[in-house]
Amino acid sequence: MSALDTSVWLCGPPPSSGQKQRFPSRFLYNLKKAYPITQKTLWMFSGSIQELGDTTDIRPETGAKFVCPYDDLIAPRNHYDMVIADPPYTVGFSQEFVSSLRDVPKPKRILREATKVTVMGGLILILHIIIIPAYKEFGVRRIALHPIFCGPNNSIRVLNVFRRF
């Protein structure tokens, strides 16, 4: 078994000139460098970025390919090489999309649904504020944890990277 990749991705704050460091542009730069994105990539919670692959969102106005709840994906099973999720993870952050704390997307449910649509050997990447356990019942193995520094206050998020086996 190879060592766990824990490289840090600097994604903010923005430099004095230009916006290359600002999240999400620098995050996407690092992502594409470390994990090549193919047309068989599914972006959960990201309806507005269709140019990078298929997308899901609960809001039809985003133009997502799959308009559905995150915990009941209608995307084809065992189809995607990579699933990337950047969910709203606090009520404050997602208050316009959810009505209560119980409606905030749960990491275990995100991982469960992502596993269903990912091919064997495929990658699941979840950007969150926590380290998500590699739940054994989903048949995934953690291969990387990337601390992501983003935003004007250098808030920390973690890119949890799993491989389906």
Side-chain angles (χ1 to χ4, degrees):
M1 185 172 160
S2 61
L4 183 68
D5 183 351
T6 57
S7 55
V8 175
W9 294 2
L10 299 175
C11 297
S16 57
S17 63
Q19 297 301 311
K20 277 276 196 214
Q21 292 295 115
R22 188 181 296 277
F23 184 86
S25 63
R26 192 64 176 178
F27 171 77
L28 291 173
Y29 169 82
N30 288 321
L31 179 70
K32 290 175 185 178
K33 197 166 94 174
Y35 306 101
I37 296 169
T38 70
Q39 283 303 307
K40 291 186 84 176
T41 297
L42 179 68
W43 296 76
M44 293 176 68
F45 308 96
S46 304
S48 61
I49 57 170
Q50 296 99 358
E51 68 275 5
L52 296 177
D54 291 345
T55 58
T56 72
D57 209 302
I58 59 170
R59 301 166 294 154
E61 66 271 17
T62 64
K65 181 171 184 171
F66 303 107
V67 177
C68 56
Y70 79 96
D71 56 355
D72 191 19
L73 289 182
I74 58 173
R77 301 299 191 225
N78 300 309
H79 178 76
Y80 294 97
D81 299 322
M82 185 177 349
V83 175
I84 303 169
D86 183 6
Y89 40 80
T90 67
V91 173
F93 183 74
S94 61
Q95 62 190 355
E96 65 183 284
F97 310 119
V98 301
S99 57
S100 73
L101 184 58
R102 73 176 183 278
D103 297 329
V104 173
K106 310 292 187 281
K108 186 173 184 177
R109 291 183 190 167
I110 296 167
L111 184 57
R112 180 192 68 207
E113 288 300 302
T115 301
K116 291 178 184 178
V117 300
T118 305
V119 297
M120 291 296 189
L123 298 176
I124 300 166
L125 297 84
I126 304 173
L127 186 59
H128 214 286
I129 57 173
I130 64 170
I131 295 175
I132 300 167
Y135 296 100
K136 291 180 182 177
E137 68 263 31
F138 300 143
V140 296
R141 178 177 299 120
R142 179 183 316 283
I143 63 168
L145 283 170
H146 300 287
I148 310 292
F149 295 98
C150 58
N153 62 354
N154 259 345
S155 59
I156 299 173
R157 293 202 242 171
V158 178
L159 183 64
N160 295 265
V161 183
F162 305 95
R163 183 173 305 280
R164 183 172 179 224
F165 61 89

